[in-house]
Amino acid sequence: MLVSIYRYNPEKDDAPYMQDYQIELPAGKDLMVLDVLNLLKAKDTTISYRRSCREGVCGSDGMNMSGKNGLACITPVSEAAKNGKLVLRPLPGLPVVRDLVIDMGQFYKQYEKIRPYLINDAPAPAIERLQTPEEREKLDGLYECILCACCSTACPSFWWNPDKFIGPSGLLQAYRFLADSRDTATQDRLGELDDPFSVFRCHGIMNCVSVCPKGLNPTKAIGNIRTMLLQRAT
Amino acid sequence: MVTQITSFGRSGLYDWMMQRVSAIVLSLYTVFIIGYLLLNPDLTYDQWSTLFEATWMRIFSLMVLLSIGMHSWIGLWSISTDYLKATGVRFFFQSLCGLVMFIYIVWGVQVLWGL
Ligand code: SF4
Ligand code: SF4
Ligand code: FES
């Protein structure tokens, strides 16, 4: 199989380039893209990428595989390869540190902006803040986000304004706290989102939904935030 | 919160709502005009000018004119903040859009009222 990898080492290279590798894959087995990278790394130790859990939980190996963002560890080669060729690039839209490793600083800054923690100044009860099963259910499809950045780096609105538009991942998290019955800062949170960029730069293209490896739906969460903003203003 | 914004209403929600409201006005007007033309295949000049002399038609048309101004300003403003990265160029483009829209509205009022 032919694997083409984006290579860039800012200490040595003037510009990024694609390097081709030919590799024999074991017959009768559908490896994951991460396995292929590991095999290649054994041969060429200079290839750099992030990975940790190798089972779709940590979110560190988000990359662009033949044009689509996803987690290398849970994407089978059969799905990622096109015409017998596998093209691996870093997630688009963020600065490349080296090869497939990107600088996620901007992504985390947006995450930080939405204050991703429960705000409740009432003294904590002796055991825990209780929720009804219905209240808890509202967090399903939101809390599962692993911050892999596959969605935000697939979003054109985030590419053009990564410093102003929160991006699908951050907005999914923003809604996770807006929807939480235990959080008391709902109005403050909404106030911080009502500008033409933070939420409203989303044009509903749904790239985020199509790539999320956890099957989450940021577009729906963004729609819910919009409804909350509308209810608050009218 | 992103502050320092040159958008239309400065609030994201307001711009978003305006964009939708103006879109509705524009489509209603389009449907109306097309319907009117279809129902009056041999339209005369007199008929056409009587239509535009009616106050409700002038209100409707003025609403459409303002909607075009608003709708295109919000749209072009968004596009300029997406694609024009040099501040000078973006500022020039936004000013130009503002100017053109202002001209259209004044000119349109002149046409409607036959001033
Ligand atoms: S739906 Fe919104 S957030 Fe998702 S990719 Fe499109 S513009 Fe980005
Ligand atoms: S929403 Fe999905 S794609 Fe986006 S960061 Fe979370 S898990 Fe990754
Ligand atoms: S290595 Fe942890 S998600 Fe892929």
Side-chain angles (χ1 to χ4, degrees):
Chain A
M1 160 158 264
L2 183 63
V3 186
S4 182
I5 302 183
Y6 178 102
R7 302 299 310 270
Y8 180 54
N9 177 354
E11 283 166 21
K12 288 208 307 231
D13 307 326
D14 296 330
Y17 59 96
M18 297 303 289
Q19 188 172 352
D20 286 348
Y21 296 87
Q22 198 68 48
I23 182 171
E24 276 312 314
L25 295 182
K29 238 178 155 188
D30 195 6
L31 294 184
M32 296 295 166
V33 174
L34 182 63
D35 301 327
V36 176
L37 269 172
N38 289 343
L39 290 175
L40 285 172
K41 174 114 179 154
K43 284 202 218 157
D44 178 352
T45 52
T46 64
I47 304 175
S48 312
Y49 52 92
R50 289 196 182 105
R51 94 268 170 281
S52 178
C53 70
R54 56 104 190 95
E55 56 185 9
V57 171
C58 70
S60 54
D61 63 345
M63 60 182 71
N64 187 281
M65 297 164 283
S66 304
K68 191 169 178 196
N69 292 353
L71 296 174
C73 59
I74 53 169
T75 307
V77 173
S78 61
E79 198 180 288
K82 280 195 186 130
N83 307 322
K85 188 179 175 188
L86 183 61
V87 185
L88 302 179
R89 294 172 188 273
L91 289 176
L94 289 174
V96 173
V97 176
R98 183 175 161 165
D99 297 347
L100 302 175
V101 177
I102 53 164
D103 177 355
M104 308 257 286
Q106 191 58 257
F107 174 79
Y108 292 135
K109 249 190 220 155
Q110 296 297 1
Y111 180 53
E112 196 182 348
K113 260 199 213 167
I114 62 109
R115 295 195 281 168
Y117 39 81
L118 211 64
I119 302 176
N120 188 337
D121 290 334
I127 302 180
E128 59 190 322
R129 294 189 203 279
L130 292 174
Q131 279 188 305
T132 64
E134 292 75 35
E135 286 169 341
R136 170 59 189 74
E137 215 166 79
K138 287 194 181 147
L139 309 183
D140 288 343
L142 303 170
Y143 79 90
E144 299 94 329
C145 172
I146 55 173
L147 296 175
C148 64
C150 287
C151 56
S152 292
T153 58
C155 170
S157 291
F158 187 74
W159 294 340
W160 311 147
N161 289 292
D163 54 334
K164 299 197 186 80
F165 175 51
I166 305 270
S169 168
L171 289 171
L172 186 92
Q173 291 302 311
Y175 185 60
R176 181 243 170 278
F177 289 98
L178 286 169
D180 195 315
S181 61
R182 297 162 299 179
D183 191 280
T184 54
T186 314
Q187 292 308 316
D188 278 2
R189 291 180 186 277
L190 287 174
E192 280 159 26
L193 294 173
D194 185 14
D195 63 80
F197 282 102
S198 304
V199 175
F200 289 96
R201 212 21 92 99
C202 167
H203 298 306
I205 308 156
M206 293 179 87
N207 276 8
C208 49
V209 181
S210 94
V211 299
C212 177
K214 302 306 258 182
L216 308 179
N217 190 335
T219 311
K220 194 168 144 212
I222 295 170
N224 289 339
I225 297 180
R226 230 187 250 137
T227 311
M228 288 181 92
L229 283 167
L230 200 64
Q231 276 164 352
R232 167 176 173 267
T234 51
Chain B
M1 181 89 164
V2 180
T3 47
Q4 309 300 329
I5 304 269
T6 56
S7 73
F8 182 70
R10 310 194 89 239
S11 130
L13 181 72
Y14 188 77
D15 278 14
W16 183 79
M17 251 161 46
M18 277 311 167
Q19 197 69 339
R20 262 127 265 255
V21 171
S22 55
I24 293 172
V25 173
L26 290 175
S27 31
L28 284 179
Y29 197 73
T30 313
V31 170
F32 171 74
I33 291 287
I34 292 177
Y36 189 82
L37 290 177
L38 286 180
L39 289 178
N40 297 284
D42 19 58
L43 186 71
T44 62
Y45 173 78
D46 282 342
Q47 223 180 334
W48 191 243
S49 60
T50 327
L51 173 68
F52 277 87
E53 255 157 39
T55 304
W56 65 268
M57 186 60 189
R58 285 185 173 166
I59 294 176
F60 196 12
S61 305
L62 184 62
M63 229 157 82
V64 168
L65 213 55
L66 295 178
S67 295
I68 293 179
M70 236 157 26
H71 198 85
S72 44
W73 168 255
I74 296 172
L76 290 169
W77 179 83
S78 292
I79 294 172
S80 75
T81 51
D82 270 352
Y83 298 106
L84 302 177
K85 290 298 166 198
T87 312
V89 178
R90 192 170 61 241
F91 179 74
F92 176 74
F93 178 81
Q94 290 178 0
S95 316
L96 193 73
C97 288
L99 182 69
V100 170
M101 271 147 228
F102 183 70
I103 293 175
Y104 271 139
I105 289 171
V106 175
W107 190 12
V109 168
Q110 235 178 32
V111 172
L112 273 177
W113 268 265
L115 297 174

